[in-house]
Amino acid sequence: MSKREITVVRTTNGKARPDPNHLGFGKYFTDHMFVMDYDRENGWHSPRVIPYQPITLDPATMVFHYGQTVFEGLKAYHSQDGRTLLFRPEKNVERLNRSCSRLNIPEVEEEAFLSGLKTLIQVDRDWIPTTEGTSLYIRPFILPTETNLRVAPASSYKFVIILSPVGSYYPEGINPVGINVEKQYTRAVLGGTGTAKTAGNYCAGYKAQQKASESGAAQVLWLDGIEKKYIEEVGSMNIFFKIDGEVVTPQLNGSILEGITRMSIIELLQEWGIPVTERKISFDEFVKAYQEERVEEVFGTGTAAVISPVGEFRYQDTKYLINNRQTGDLSKKLYETITGIQTGKIYDEFGWTVEVKSSGM
Amino acid sequence: MSKREITVVRTTNGKARPDPNHLGFGKYFTDHMFVMDYDRENGWHSPRVIPYQPITLDPATMVFHYGQTVFEGLKAYHSQDGRTLLFRPEKNVERLNRSCSRLNIPEVEEEAFLSGLKTLIQVDRDWIPTTEGTSLYIRPFILPTETNLRVAPASSYKFVIILSPVGSYYPEGINPVGINVEKQYTRAVLGGTGTAKTAGNYCAGYKAQQKASESGAAQVLWLDGIEKKYIEEVGSMNIFFKIDGEVVTPQLNGSILEGITRMSIIELLQEWGIPVTERKISFDEFVKAYQEERVEEVFGTGTAAVISPVGEFRYQDTKYLINNRQTGDLSKKLYETITGIQTGKIYDEFGWTVEVKSSGM
Ligand SMILES: Cc1ncc(COP(=O)(O)O)c(C=O)c1O
Ligand SMILES: Cc1ncc(COP(=O)(O)O)c(C=O)c1O
């Protein structure tokens, strides 16, 4: 057998399905996982679908010490006509490989990633929830498996994909949230790892998220790490402003994560003829436009929520109420179009969706 | 039995001791490890010394995804008169807890840390190498053990200590090294996690280290992440300059790691009456002093090497040769004094060393 051929070992001990109305996010996992290994001699090899199972690691394994990991996040959807759809998965492969490159991790071939993912989904297809708004969250990740405490890239890695049926992000309809403008903590800075989906970027934000929660806000507005002036992201989402009929989003500046939802929204707006610009935007510019009553909508974008309207910014003692805490028309239209394409309800003129056929590739 | 009492289970299957002349760093591990667990109900509990063994984790365990880990590094030394000495271990506990606080990890009591460490060393005492320059490297670390993909602090953790007999850093005598001045990549920035010993800070430096190695330099000189002007650290060490008879080291500015060797050197210099200042120092200031032939010595400081003299800085196409690539007198004297105190050869007037007695605490 070729070392590139995917082997499949099915569980003999399937788990009970969770209640589709109480899935939450990333709490339940399916019966199987995809794994492949890397070493210098063999490259990425031994791709396999195996029963979902623990990973056993020596305590000196590098993953516990120096954080050389990358991950991705995407979803599979059950369409009304019974198909299984992925949304632009090749963009996740590209981003994973950009993350790998920043972290000195060997890149993964698109074909190896996608065929592994599709085989895994075929095996666990009946785990995809079908209730409105639910989906199958896909978490590919890479960890270093070398046992050694030297501070240097590992010589061996594991690539793993796990699947989690997840609930609707908006069981009671889209709900604009309050956002705390963060001036003390920094998520990422030019020259750092902000453009990569790597573990250390996420725990670095917990302190600011705690401050936001304690002040009653749902998320953090991240400013640039250098001047603490320019808007970067909101929580783990990209951010868009509609000001005077024009849509603005922070340009990719070397510290912002390049969201696939962000990219898709820019393409949609262009298709619709709505002016959209990627440029620097400072919080001061927002405040000025706000005072002149030119701010129409603000929303975050990401795989989990798709669109998350911002109802309010809090900066020190000032509150900036946006669109009277209502979801704006553009936010609504974008949400419906993207989720419509993702779930096959709306014709996909962009060729964004990829079907996972019943068997074979 | 109280949940704070340390239980000891000894291995029945001890490993062969590695060759004391080829220990390297962090390659070999002793027969036992110390572990304790945290959950919200019980706090840190079930401290235990157990046979060195793998850790088994669900693939959705937070440690693989969001990097919420902290670690420490210190050493135990075998003194000529047969005692086992630790060097300022309470400073490592303090720093671990500062790291925990930045990463939203529950802090560890000094007593729990130190009694766990001492018990472990008592069990594995005959693993401490006795050859000149060797020691037992101690790696305490904390990882989140909750199984969940939400981006938030975990509710459960494991604290682990492993021990590695390590070789002399300078088997052929202290050797000044070349350092590449890094302008593109950033290790840490104010508001980020640079002051914490957390995994993500280390893998973030691999790319710059690779550039340094490719240019023939041994390490990276990190500049501040904001102006790329001020000197912060060298590799995973703090840095000192001797200019015009005065010693200068970058001040703790919110992105530099607070080294325990750094702290000890400042205290030693003060004791010796050598002027030492903690302040901002730019690479331009170094260049000016260099051109005026006022730079006498430059050295990095850290647990692994204690003192690592800088023989040369490389900045773009310019090389700055320091002290004719020789180890300076102050570097030598500091190295000999600190290693002398650590190994009990020199009387410890500061009360820095802590003896691990043969049994009991
Ligand atoms: C930091 C950060 N920003 C933005 C995003 C949004 O990216 P995407 O639209 O690809 O989900 C994510 C989530 O993936 C993220 O982790
Ligand atoms: C980033 C960094 N700076 C400096 C140091 C030096 O600290 P210490 O002297 O406590 O070993 C270390 C190593 O611990 C480190 O990881």
Side-chain angles (χ1 to χ4, degrees):
Chain A
M1 204 184 67
S2 130
K3 67 181 182 188
R4 304 299 197 84
E5 218 169 287
I6 302 171
T7 58
V8 176
V9 177
R10 284 173 191 267
T11 184
T12 53
N13 192 10
K15 291 180 268 198
R17 300 295 183 275
D19 176 353
N21 299 312
H22 295 91
L23 292 172
F25 177 82
K27 269 167 59 181
Y28 300 102
F29 296 91
T30 66
D31 279 331
H32 298 84
M33 63 203 273
F34 173 79
V35 182
M36 62 181 175
D37 300 306
Y38 176 92
D39 61 47
R40 290 205 180 125
E41 200 184 331
N42 298 298
W44 286 110
H45 63 93
S46 308
R48 55 203 186 270
V49 171
I50 54 175
Y52 188 91
Q53 61 191 264
I55 300 173
T56 294
L57 297 166
D58 187 284
T61 304
M62 285 175 161
V63 67
F64 298 127
H65 304 276
Y66 307 127
Q68 194 198 9
T69 69
V70 293
F71 70 92
E72 269 304 325
L74 67 161
K75 285 176 171 177
Y77 306 87
H78 181 85
S79 75
Q80 274 175 335
D81 57 358
R83 292 178 303 145
T84 299
L85 299 176
L86 299 171
F87 186 70
R88 311 188 83 177
E90 70 289 351
K91 296 292 172 198
N92 293 91
V93 187
E94 286 169 21
R95 185 169 64 189
L96 183 80
N97 281 332
R98 287 197 304 274
S99 300
C100 283
S101 159
R102 179 64 184 82
L103 274 301
N104 292 61
I105 295 173
E107 296 185 15
V108 171
E109 276 174 37
E110 180 175 302
E111 163 61 17
F113 180 120
L114 292 181
S115 62
L117 173 58
K118 287 177 184 173
T119 307
L120 175 62
I121 290 178
Q122 283 164 350
V123 171
D124 276 341
R125 186 191 302 273
D126 63 353
W127 276 88
I128 306 175
T130 55
T131 316
E132 170 79 23
T134 63
S135 58
L136 187 71
Y137 181 76
I138 300 162
R139 169 57 57 92
F141 61 104
I142 299 178
L143 60 136
T145 52
E146 187 182 341
T147 297
N148 200 314
L149 296 185
R150 74 195 156 78
V151 182
S155 59
S156 60
Y157 300 86
K158 226 181 238 314
F159 172 92
V160 183
I161 306 177
I162 53 177
L163 305 175
S164 172
V166 298
S168 174
Y169 206 86
Y170 295 115
E172 283 126 36
I174 293 195
N175 191 13
V177 294
I179 305 292
N180 192 50
V181 182
E182 179 58 45
K183 279 280 202 175
Q184 179 188 0
Y185 294 108
T186 298
R187 190 193 85 90
V189 72
L190 186 68
T193 56
T195 60
K197 260 184 108 72
T198 182
N201 293 342
Y202 293 82
C203 58
Y206 291 170
K207 210 75 185 169
Q209 177 59 39
Q210 183 187 2
K211 272 175 65 184
S213 303
E214 283 168 6
S215 82
Q219 293 278 353
V220 174
L221 185 74
W222 295 110
L223 302 177
D224 79 279
I226 293 179
E227 298 179 65
K228 288 283 175 197
K229 251 178 83 170
Y230 296 99
I231 294 169
E232 299 222 320
E233 306 199 35
V234 54
S236 295
M237 291 183 284
N238 297 112
I239 189 164
F240 286 77
F241 295 82
K242 184 163 175 251
I243 299 175
D244 266 345
E246 201 183 301
V247 179
V248 179
T249 189
Q251 71 197 42
L252 302 173
N253 62 351
S255 52
I256 292 175
L257 191 87
E258 190 172 345
I260 293 159
T261 319
R262 175 187 181 278
M263 181 189 307
S264 307
I265 281 168
I266 292 172
E267 289 171 44
L268 259 185
L269 292 172
Q270 285 168 341
E271 176 68 22
W272 291 345
I274 296 175
V276 52
T277 324
E278 300 176 66
R279 65 169 171 84
K280 278 184 159 191
I281 174 167
S282 67
F283 192 69
D284 290 344
E285 177 183 341
F286 160 80
V287 170
K288 185 158 180 293
Y290 181 87
Q291 284 162 346
E292 295 167 2
E293 300 186 5
R294 297 189 289 114
V295 177
E296 299 165 23
E297 302 182 34
V298 182
F299 52 91
T301 71
T303 294
V306 183
I307 300 284
S308 173
V310 174
E312 172 183 302
F313 284 118
R314 297 175 182 206
Y315 177 49
Q316 289 158 357
D317 289 334
T318 314
K319 292 186 181 183
Y320 301 89
L321 227 73
I322 292 150
N323 196 31
N324 207 20
R325 277 210 193 82
Q326 301 302 305
T327 301
D329 292 337
L330 183 64
S331 304
K332 238 180 256 161
K333 190 173 167 198
L334 283 166
Y335 179 77
E336 275 154 21
T337 307
I338 294 201
T339 56
I341 293 174
Q342 286 169 334
T343 56
K345 257 179 272 177
I346 292 181
Y347 172 70
D348 173 16
E349 59 178 308
F350 300 94
W352 284 341
T353 49
V354 172
E355 187 178 344
V356 182
K357 292 263 163 56
S358 267
S359 69
M361 290 295 84
Chain B
M1 202 185 66
S2 130
K3 68 180 182 188
R4 303 300 197 86
E5 219 169 285
I6 302 171
T7 60
V8 176
V9 177
R10 284 175 191 265
T11 183
T12 54
N13 192 10
K15 290 180 269 199
R17 298 297 182 273
D19 176 354
N21 299 312
H22 295 91
L23 291 171
F25 177 82
K27 268 167 60 182
Y28 300 101
F29 296 91
T30 66
D31 278 331
H32 298 86
M33 62 204 271
F34 173 80
V35 182
M36 62 182 175
D37 300 304
Y38 176 92
D39 61 47
R40 291 205 180 124
E41 199 183 332
N42 298 298
W44 285 110
H45 64 94
S46 307
R48 56 202 185 272
V49 171
I50 54 174
Y52 188 90
Q53 61 191 261
I55 300 173
T56 294
L57 297 165
D58 187 286
T61 305
M62 284 174 163
V63 66
F64 298 127
H65 303 277
Y66 307 127
Q68 195 199 9
T69 69
V70 293
F71 70 93
E72 268 304 325
L74 67 161
K75 285 176 171 177
Y77 306 86
H78 180 84
S79 76
Q80 274 174 337
D81 59 356
R83 293 177 302 145
T84 300
L85 299 176
L86 299 171
F87 186 72
R88 313 188 82 176
E90 70 289 351
K91 295 293 171 198
N92 293 92
V93 188
E94 285 168 22
R95 186 170 63 189
L96 183 80
N97 280 331
R98 289 197 302 275
S99 300
C100 283
S101 159
R102 178 64 183 82
L103 275 301
N104 292 62
I105 295 173
E107 295 185 15
V108 172
E109 275 175 37
E110 180 175 302
E111 162 60 17
F113 180 119
L114 291 181
S115 62
L117 173 58
K118 288 175 183 173
T119 307
L120 176 62
I121 290 178
Q122 283 163 350
V123 172
D124 276 338
R125 187 190 302 271
D126 63 354
W127 276 88
I128 306 176
T130 56
T131 315
E132 171 78 23
T134 62
S135 58
L136 187 71
Y137 181 77
I138 300 163
R139 170 57 58 90
F141 61 103
I142 300 179
L143 61 137
T145 52
E146 187 183 341
T147 297
N148 200 314
L149 296 185
R150 73 194 157 81
V151 183
S155 59
S156 60
Y157 300 85
K158 222 178 241 314
F159 172 92
V160 183
I161 305 178
I162 54 177
L163 305 175
S164 171
V166 298
S168 173
Y169 205 86
Y170 296 115
E172 284 126 35
I174 294 196
N175 190 13
V177 293
I179 304 292
N180 191 50
V181 182
E182 179 58 46
K183 279 282 202 173
Q184 178 189 0
Y185 294 107
T186 298
R187 189 193 86 91
V189 72
L190 185 69
T193 57
T195 61
K197 259 184 108 71
T198 182
N201 293 342
Y202 293 82
C203 59
Y206 290 171
K207 210 76 186 168
Q209 178 58 40
Q210 183 189 0
K211 269 175 66 184
S213 305
E214 284 168 3
S215 82
Q219 293 278 355
V220 174
L221 185 75
W222 294 110
L223 302 177
D224 80 278
I226 292 178
E227 298 179 67
K228 289 284 174 193
K229 250 178 86 169
Y230 296 100
I231 293 169
E232 299 221 321
E233 306 198 37
V234 53
S236 295
M237 291 184 284
N238 297 113
I239 188 164
F240 287 76
F241 296 81
K242 184 162 175 254
I243 299 176
D244 267 344
E246 202 184 299
V247 180
V248 179
T249 190
Q251 72 196 39
L252 302 173
N253 62 351
S255 53
I256 292 175
L257 191 88
E258 190 172 345
I260 292 158
T261 319
R262 174 187 182 279
M263 180 189 307
S264 308
I265 281 168
I266 293 171
E267 289 170 46
L268 259 184
L269 292 172
Q270 285 167 343
E271 177 67 20
W272 291 346
I274 296 175
V276 52
T277 324
E278 300 175 65
R279 64 169 172 83
K280 276 185 161 188
I281 173 166
S282 66
F283 191 70
D284 290 344
E285 178 183 340
F286 160 80
V287 170
K288 186 159 179 295
Y290 181 87
Q291 284 162 346
E292 296 166 0
E293 298 185 6
R294 296 190 290 114
V295 177
E296 299 164 23
E297 300 182 33
V298 182
F299 52 91
T301 71
T303 294
V306 183
I307 300 284
S308 174
V310 174
E312 171 185 305
F313 283 119
R314 298 177 181 203
Y315 177 50
Q316 289 158 357
D317 289 332
T318 313
K319 291 185 180 184
Y320 301 90
L321 226 73
I322 292 151
N323 195 31
N324 207 21
R325 276 209 195 83
Q326 301 302 305
T327 301
D329 292 338
L330 183 64
S331 304
K332 238 180 254 159
K333 189 173 167 196
L334 283 166
Y335 179 76
E336 274 154 22
T337 308
I338 295 202
T339 57
I341 293 174
Q342 286 169 335
T343 56
K345 256 177 274 177
I346 294 180
Y347 172 69
D348 173 17
E349 61 179 307
F350 299 94
W352 284 342
T353 49
V354 172
E355 188 180 342
V356 183
K357 292 265 163 53
S358 266
S359 69
M361 287 300 80

